[in-house]
Amino acid sequence: MERRRLGKTDMEASVLGFGGSEIGYQGVSGRTVMRLLDGALDAGLNVIDTAECYENSEELIGKAVSGRRRDFHLFTKCGHGKSYGHADWRPAALLASIERSLRRLRTDTVDLVQLHSCSLEHLKKGDVIAALERARERGWTRYVGYSGDGEAARYDIECGRFDTLQTSVSIADQEALELSLPLAKARGMGVIAKRPIANVAWTHRTKPAELYYQDYWTRLRALDYPFLRDPDAAVATALRFTLSVPGVHTAIVGTTKPGRWKENAAMLAAGPLDREVINGIRGRWREVAKPSWVGQI
Ligand SMILES: NC(=O)c1ccc[n+]([C@@H]2O[C@H](COP(=O)([O-])OP(=O)(O)OC[C@H]3O[C@@H](n4cnc5c(N)ncnc54)[C@H](OP(=O)(O)O)[C@@H]3O)[C@@H](O)[C@H]2O)c1
């Protein structure tokens, strides 16, 4: 498994990471998470991303793999202590959330705490960033980052106070390729691609009921990339596209299934995607994307 240095941090990140939202939201059992993560760590995974509000994702990860904490870089987020719909950006609430994450993850320190998609206005006020810096001073995290999109993602880079950016990058979400990633690369930021395979939204025959998948489904119908018609090539091409974007260091694919990480890792063995295919995807996006197709949280 290829590893890339995560910006100016000291972390060498496996290009295929693990996104922890689905295990929480989809009620995966502790036994399954243990099999999933143990197997992936044995096969070369070293990036695990979760958040304060992905139901019991932090607890599941803590129970499953805190015994092998040195084998991976652990990222979490803060800002929605109660649940995703209930943001609380007061510094004391952020610090309480981070402290709770450490307990749930059964660790003294995480490698990265990220502000979980707060608005540009909150970022500009600055006290949310100061709260993360306080957590770093207390030794609760080694690095601080922002997870989000659009102008706020750009501000994360411009303000110079963050180590990383986690942002949506995929065949269905290309705003960041021009808005934030070139600057992130120039400034040496670590970049974590979230939603890197666009939630495989193209696999739904009709518009999915779940709101989270709907935008990507609609976009992909319009983009109508030819490779999506080949089930054997679709995920591999989507994943290799994301990892070919300059400045991206790791892609945190979410999964509920043991074995999935290895399956996806095998897709990367083919190496970088051909320039022609990349140009085709970019060209189609430029031709079809509407101004409203902004980075999706
Ligand atoms: N604002 C934020 O900070 C934010 C927002 C969104 C996401 N995130 C982070 O980014 C991570 C990834 O995002 P995501 O999970 O929404 O999107 P994603 O990684 O693009 O898609 C995950 C979905 O793809 C499926 N999948 C994975 N490999 C597959 C394969 N080879 N074939 C078919 N299906 C496959 C998984 O289903 P199976 O269970 O069947 O494998 C899962 O439903 C999250 O887990 C989270 O850590 C952060």
Side-chain angles (χ1 to χ4, degrees):
M1 169 61 42
E2 181 194 342
R3 292 184 177 187
R4 295 180 187 168
R5 174 65 65 107
L6 192 64
K8 290 183 186 155
T9 75
D10 64 4
M11 292 184 267
E12 294 283 342
S14 55
V15 292
L16 181 59
F18 170 75
S21 65
E22 282 79 3
I23 55 167
Y25 287 133
Q26 294 184 34
V28 178
S29 75
R31 257 175 89 114
T32 302
V33 173
M34 194 172 293
R35 272 176 53 221
L36 190 167
L37 288 179
D38 251 340
L41 288 171
D42 290 343
L45 167 77
N46 80 352
V47 168
I48 296 179
D49 179 79
T50 181
E52 79 293 9
C53 62
Y54 298 160
E55 302 292 343
N56 62 340
S57 172
E58 290 184 323
E59 281 110 329
L60 286 167
I61 292 166
K63 261 188 205 159
V65 289
S66 56
R68 40 190 311 190
R69 180 70 186 84
R70 290 200 181 140
D71 294 351
F72 58 93
H73 305 302
L74 182 55
F75 308 163
T76 193
K77 311 188 188 85
C78 60
H80 307 261
K82 281 193 195 142
S83 69
Y84 194 76
H86 296 90
D88 189 343
W89 303 110
R90 290 172 301 173
L94 295 175
L95 287 164
S97 168
I98 297 166
E99 216 178 356
R100 187 184 65 177
S101 292
L102 297 179
R103 282 196 303 277
R104 288 172 162 183
L105 289 161
R106 302 185 183 190
T107 186
D108 296 332
T109 185
V110 290
D111 297 285
L112 175 66
V113 171
Q114 304 151 102
L115 283 172
H116 202 168
S117 309
C118 68
S119 66
L120 181 60
E121 289 67 36
H122 277 109
L123 273 183
K124 281 189 168 168
K125 256 179 72 193
D127 58 350
V128 290
I129 310 178
L132 292 200
E133 290 165 344
R134 210 159 309 135
R136 183 169 56 192
E137 280 158 25
R138 290 180 185 175
W140 294 351
T141 181
R142 299 198 306 123
Y143 295 102
V144 300
Y146 176 72
S147 181
D149 304 273
E151 289 298 336
R154 200 176 156 91
Y155 182 78
D156 151 75
I157 308 159
E158 284 169 344
C159 78
R161 291 170 72 181
F162 291 101
D163 303 299
T164 62
L165 169 65
Q166 179 175 147
T167 200
S168 294
V169 183
S170 74
I171 55 168
D173 204 328
Q174 298 185 33
E175 181 189 50
L177 275 68
E178 280 160 31
L179 182 61
S180 54
L181 296 185
L183 187 63
K185 190 166 185 276
R187 298 272 175 95
M189 300 281 292
V191 174
I192 300 151
K194 65 183 167 80
R195 309 186 73 176
I197 52 171
N199 302 97
V200 294
W202 65 87
T203 57
H204 298 266
R205 298 181 87 152
T206 54
K207 192 168 187 167
E210 180 70 59
L211 200 64
Y212 186 58
Y213 305 134
Q214 287 181 359
D215 269 313
Y216 287 169
W217 183 85
T218 305
R219 292 180 188 189
L220 288 164
R221 291 284 277 220
L223 287 160
D224 194 25
Y225 297 118
F227 64 85
L228 294 182
R229 286 178 221 130
D230 175 358
D232 293 332
V235 177
T237 306
L239 182 56
R240 290 166 73 211
F241 170 75
T242 297
L243 285 170
S244 76
V245 172
V248 168
H249 300 115
T250 182
I252 47 168
V253 175
T255 185
T256 55
K257 295 192 174 67
R260 189 65 107 186
W261 191 88
K262 273 193 226 165
E263 182 192 336
N264 289 341
M267 294 177 190
L268 299 178
L273 200 56
D274 289 345
R275 179 49 51 194
E276 218 175 281
V277 182
I278 295 171
N279 290 345
I281 294 170
R282 291 292 289 139
R284 191 77 192 129
W285 175 268
R286 288 196 187 100
E287 207 180 311
V288 175
K290 299 184 179 146
S292 61
W293 290 12
V294 296
Q296 290 295 292
I297 282 181

